[in-house]
Amino acid sequence: MMSPTVPTMTNCADLRSSRRALRAEQATVQWWRRLVQARLDLAVAAAAMPASLGEELAVLPMPAGWVEPPSHVELRRATRGGLPLAEASRLPVLRHLDERLADYERCVGAALAEVTEELIEALAVDPARLLAGPEAPRPI
């Protein structure tokens, strides 16, 4: 895994620019992870269906107002469509992708934390000069 090297910057505008870029990258990698994790969920769902609802509770007395769950047949019909069993063969690839994305997300998070720390340190050294100049802060 390659770690991004965050250059040491003293220019507040450069730090803010780097921080914006890292935050955008972080949002993008999080979106990709959600997509990969959703595909993982679909692949698992194609290979295995959950147990029927209510079977274990059939012998227990139910309180007034108890609502019967949908039947297993209804649930299977509604959720099975479009889930070919071939999806299960994608599980190793999807898991590997998710691991790589998680590693990359950690690197981006570390770089963002480092740039944020540099920005805070730069502002702490001489806030008046940094905040009053042409590089007055914009939202970060």
Side-chain angles (χ1 to χ4, degrees), residues 7-101:
T8 302
M9 295 174 260
T10 55
N11 182 321
C12 216
D14 289 345
L15 289 168
R16 284 193 298 270
S17 176
S18 293
R19 193 166 183 282
R20 273 191 296 278
L22 285 163
R23 287 182 66 201
E25 187 70 6
Q26 187 176 49
T28 301
V29 73
Q30 288 170 347
W31 184 259
W32 275 111
R33 283 204 68 204
R34 284 193 300 272
L35 288 173
V36 168
Q37 289 167 353
R39 292 302 296 179
L40 272 165
D41 288 345
L42 289 172
V44 169
M49 292 299 283
S52 298
L53 291 172
E55 284 183 358
E56 299 294 323
L57 304 178
V59 296
L60 300 175
M62 293 300 134
W66 181 258
V67 175
E68 289 295 318
S71 73
H72 194 66
V73 171
E74 281 181 279
L75 290 167
R76 284 182 62 96
R77 279 189 194 136
T79 59
R80 198 65 176 170
L83 294 177
L85 287 177
E87 286 290 317
S89 67
R90 299 178 59 169
L91 281 169
V93 170
L94 289 166
R95 284 190 180 120
H96 181 68
L97 269 174
D98 187 49
E99 289 169 7
R100 289 175 54 204
L101 283 167

Side-chain angles (χ1 to χ4, degrees), residues 108-128:
V108 171
L112 178 58
E114 188 175 325
V115 167
T116 300
E117 185 64 31
E118 282 188 47
L119 179 60
I120 291 168
E121 287 174 11
L123 289 170
V125 169
D126 191 358

